[in-house]
Every structure is written in C-alpha cells, then in structure tokens.
Amino acid sequence: MPFSSLVVIATVLVVGGFLLFYRPLVESSAWRATITPLASIMGSGFLICAPLLYANVGNYAVWAMSGLLVLAYGVGSVVRFNIRYGEPLFAQHSVAAPVDLAQHPRHVGHCRAAQQVGPAGSAGVLEKASHIVLAGAYCISVSYYLQLLAGFGLKYFSVDSALYGKILVTLILTAIGTVGTIRGLRGIERVERVVVGMNLAMIAALIAGLIHYNASAAMDGDWHLTPIALPGDYGQMIRLIMGLLIVVQGFETSRFLGSEHSAEERIRTMRAAQLISAAIYVVFVGLMALVIDRTGLDNSAGITAIVNYSGVVAPILPLLLTLTAVGSQFSAATADDAGCSGLLETILKGLVPVQCNYLVVSVAAIIITWLTDVYQIISYASRAFALFYVLQCVVAILVLRKVAPCPASWPRGVLYGLLGLICLGVTIFGIPAG
C-alpha cells in the first residue's frame, strides 16, 4: 500500500476515534455548540469548493475563497449581534407554545427560536420574515445536499445520469418525509453524530494526504504551478463567486440552539467554528493547487471532481471520500429538513398538522430537484441564504436603535448596512458556477 494511503488511514483512525470516543469532548457542551455550525459550514462546501474555484478563477482560487470567508465572518458577526441583543428584545412579549421534545433537536430549536419572536416593531416583523425566507432556503438546501449525495453515490458505480440522480433524490425525500411524518427524525440524530465525526476525520485525512503530497514534491524539487488563464469577463467571474456563498454557509445554525446553549456560549462557539473552518478552507484550497496543476482541469467538469483529484493524493481516498460524502450529505439534508419543519410549525400555526410538516418540506424539495440541476441548485441555495442574511443585517440595524448604547454603534451600523448590500448583490447577481 502506498505510504500516502497509510497516512490517510492513520489520520482517519486517530482523528475519528478522538472525535467519537473521547468522553470529555463528546460530553462537552461547548464542543456540541461548536460542532453544529462547524459541520454545517464544512459539510458540502469542502467537497466542491476547490474544483469549482480553480475552474472559474484559476490561481486566484485562494483569494476568492478568502473573500467568501471574510464575507461569511462579517455576516456571522451580524448573527452574533442579534443573538446577544436581538433575542432578549424579541422575547419580551413572546408567547411560547408547547413543543414536542420527541422531535429532532434541530426541529425543537428552530421551533422555539421562532416562537420567541414577539411583537417588537419593525425589527420583530423582519425577524419573522427572515424565518420564512430561511425555511425556503432550507428546502433548497435539502435538495442541494441530496443532489450531491446522488452525484457522489452514482459516480462510484459509474452511473452518470441526471435522470437517475433525480429519481434517487425523490426516493430519499419520500422516505424522509414519510418517516418524519410517522415517527419524527429524532432517531437519526444518533447517526448524525457518528457521520459528523467521520466527516471531520476525513477532512483531516485529505489535508494530511495533501500535505504529504506537496511536501514530497517540494523535497524532489518538483513543486511548481502553471498559471491558469482567467476568463476575460471579470464581472461574470465575480457573479460566479457570489453563487458559491453556500460553501461557507451554516454558521447561522447557532442562532437556533438557544434551547440547548446559552447566548454567550453560542456566540463564542460560533466564532470558533467560523475561524476553524476558515483556516481549513484556506489551507485546503492552497494545497489543492499542485494537484489540479498536475492533473489539469478536465476533471472539474463534474461536481464530484474531488473524487478524481483525491485519487492522485492517495489511492484509498476516492472510496473513503465517496462513503463520507454520501453519509454527510444525508445527515445535512435531514438536519435542514428538521430545522425547516420546526420553522414551519411556528409559521403555519396549525394550518397544516404538525406531523405533516416533513411532507411539506419533502414535496417542496422534490419539486426543486426536478426543476434544477446540481450547479443551479448551488447558486439558488447561495442566493436564498444571502437573502436571509440581508434581512438579518436590517434586523441588526433596527435592533441597534432600540437597545441601550453598545460599543461602536455607528461603525456597526455602517458595517451591517454594507454587509446587507453585499448579500443583496449575491441574491440578485449570483449565478451557477458550472
């Protein structure tokens, strides 16, 4: 077995074992609050970002990734502000209704967070509107995750058919909707914990393999990059990058963990999750440069290009990545499905029986799946979440006017307004990167 594969396997075993079985870590409230947004940020974006970025912006891929991460961290600061100052304001006149605690934790958390928005003027109205937008974004992301799952799963069996992929996604969504309606998705939570741990272990393994690959090339005196030609239309290139915001999205899940974690813990761990994921993304995209330079961009035509590239790093990686991709996308899809169902429980307020919310999400996601391809769904998901961020920025500006003076109020207002305009630009101008 090649030494690179041994490095990968050893990394998976060590990191995976530590994340899954080290009791002080597993039982740590701070770790649980960190791992939820971290898993959401890293889940799908890590699989698709490097090939798409290098195919569209060439050797500027690291800079493009850095720009997306800076934007995400800025928007994250808006969400953190709303956790600290907005939540107490919204909760002043809210009326909490009973929530079925037997449901998935994401369902319970989103439902309770939505219920805790009482009459709070225009800020409260926009906060409620943002929950409606987020529910729609979750429907799109469920389809997005499962289209990726189908792409990676069918690729391993050399099946390259969009029709078969849509049929597979439809069957999975039908199963999720049925199980969610009959029993809820609480039982899947245990599987998710294992999948998240193994997904992070696989990310560590891929980076370990890339470090070995780049170090070997450097020691052999064979490390060099060939410039990749940029497209002539820079406006188009910027719009393509905008359409990839989904790869760094997921940090907003901390906003809906209030039933399990305090505001300060959510703020602290959300910031940690964003910084950790930012470091991993920049290192990963940078290390992928040599692989893509040697392999060429022919493989980037498919959304599953990372599987082909990983085989260059270590022969064992394609199989491990495929298994991890299938598991992580299913886990992410069910988590967003549960979150959307929780929001709908409050938004619809009895118009639809609570147990039918999962069917509503599944039907919506099935329709989206058949109307889009995997590249379009990446752009649509980015634009939908960007619209949610726009509303959160406006909410933060309105909350600034209501709360007692907080540090740097005017600079905050200007920053949040600028971030809102950028996210509005993503919503309007983001296009598919395929």
Side-chain angles (χ1 to χ4, degrees):
M1 180 180 290
F3 183 73
S4 58
S5 290
L6 293 176
V7 170
V8 167
I9 293 172
T11 304
V12 169
L13 292 175
V14 173
V15 176
F18 180 76
L19 293 177
L20 293 173
F21 302 111
Y22 184 58
R23 187 170 295 277
L25 185 68
V26 173
E27 295 178 350
S28 167
S29 176
W31 172 245
R32 292 196 303 272
T34 304
I35 200 67
T36 298
L38 181 61
S40 294
I41 298 169
M42 301 300 303
S44 60
F46 191 82
L47 297 170
I48 65 174
C49 66
L52 287 179
L53 284 171
Y54 278 104
N56 288 285
V57 300
N59 293 123
Y60 290 92
V62 173
W63 294 106
M65 187 78 248
S66 299
L68 286 171
L69 291 165
V70 169
L71 174 60
Y73 190 80
V75 177
S77 71
V78 174
V79 177
R80 290 191 287 274
F81 175 86
N82 287 337
I83 291 174
R84 174 170 284 133
Y85 296 104
E87 285 184 2
L89 178 66
F90 299 143
Q92 285 179 359
H93 304 289
S94 64
V95 178
V99 179
D100 183 3
L101 298 180
Q103 293 288 347
H104 191 287
R106 290 281 289 271
H107 177 111
V108 175
H110 281 71
C111 185
R112 282 184 168 171
Q115 287 179 354
Q116 290 171 359
V117 181
S122 53
V125 171
L126 284 177
E127 178 67 18
K128 290 181 179 179
S130 75
H131 293 170
I132 297 173
V133 171
L134 183 60
Y138 277 154
C139 285
I140 298 173
S141 67
V142 168
S143 174
Y144 158 62
Y145 290 133
L146 292 180
Q147 287 196 51
L148 284 183
L149 180 156
F152 279 93
L154 293 177
K155 179 182 178 64
Y156 188 75
F157 296 99
S158 301
V159 176
D160 185 17
S161 170
L163 176 61
Y164 290 151
K166 293 180 185 297
I167 292 173
L168 179 58
V169 171
T170 301
L171 292 174
I172 295 172
L173 283 168
T174 301
I176 291 175
T178 303
V179 172
T181 300
I182 297 173
R183 302 181 56 184
L185 298 180
R186 176 82 189 191
I188 295 178
E189 179 199 5
R190 301 182 186 91
V191 178
E192 289 175 356
R193 293 175 184 172
V194 175
V195 169
V196 167
M198 292 311 300
N199 187 38
L200 294 177
M202 181 53 57
I203 289 171
L206 180 54
I207 290 178
L210 283 168
I211 291 173
H212 174 263
Y213 184 83
N214 280 263
S216 297
M219 288 187 292
D220 293 341
D222 192 29
W223 200 104
H224 61 83
L225 298 178
T226 303
I228 302 175
L230 289 175
D233 189 343
Y234 292 104
Q236 180 90 345
M237 184 174 68
I238 292 173
R239 294 182 66 192
L240 290 169
I241 295 172
M242 286 180 172
L244 288 173
L245 180 64
I246 187 68
V247 304
V248 292
Q249 167 274 330
F251 50 86
E252 74 287 334
T253 54
S254 294
R255 171 71 177 79
F256 300 94
L257 298 177
S259 59
E260 302 176 73
H261 305 278
S262 68
E264 288 304 318
E265 186 173 58
R266 285 181 287 145
I267 290 168
R268 185 176 65 254
T269 54
M270 176 184 166
R271 184 183 294 112
Q274 285 199 277
L275 292 175
I276 293 169
S277 62
I280 292 173
Y281 268 126
V282 170
V283 169
F284 169 64
V285 173
L287 291 173
M288 280 294 296
L290 182 63
V291 178
I292 291 176
D293 181 77
R294 289 183 171 182
T295 310
L297 284 168
D298 293 339
N299 290 335
S300 65
I303 202 70
T304 58
I306 189 64
V307 174
N308 294 337
Y309 288 130
S310 67
V312 176
V313 177
I316 193 65
L317 270 173
L319 173 60
L320 297 179
L321 268 182
T322 298
L323 293 174
T324 304
V326 170
S328 64
Q329 300 319 295
F330 179 77
S331 172
T334 55
D336 277 9
D337 199 314
C340 185
S341 177
L343 290 174
L344 290 178
E345 183 174 337
T346 300
I347 293 169
L348 299 179
K349 290 183 178 177
L351 294 176
V352 174
V354 173
Q355 64 269 26
C356 292
N357 287 328
Y358 285 107
L359 281 180
V360 172
V361 179
S362 290
V363 170
I366 288 171
I367 293 172
I368 292 168
T369 298
W370 285 93
L371 292 177
T372 62
D373 61 37
V374 70
Y375 292 105
Q376 290 173 324
I377 202 69
I378 292 172
S379 173
Y380 293 155
S382 294
R383 295 164 72 178
F385 279 102
L387 181 57
F388 169 73
Y389 298 147
V390 170
L391 293 175
Q392 285 294 299
C393 289
V394 179
V395 167
I397 293 172
L398 294 174
V399 170
L400 263 174
R401 299 169 56 189
K402 290 178 174 289
V403 299
C406 63
S409 293
W410 278 106
R412 281 177 186 265
V414 173
L415 174 62
Y416 295 168
L418 178 61
L419 288 168
L421 289 174
I422 294 173
C423 289
L424 183 61
V426 174
T427 302
I428 297 172
F429 299 112
I431 59 175

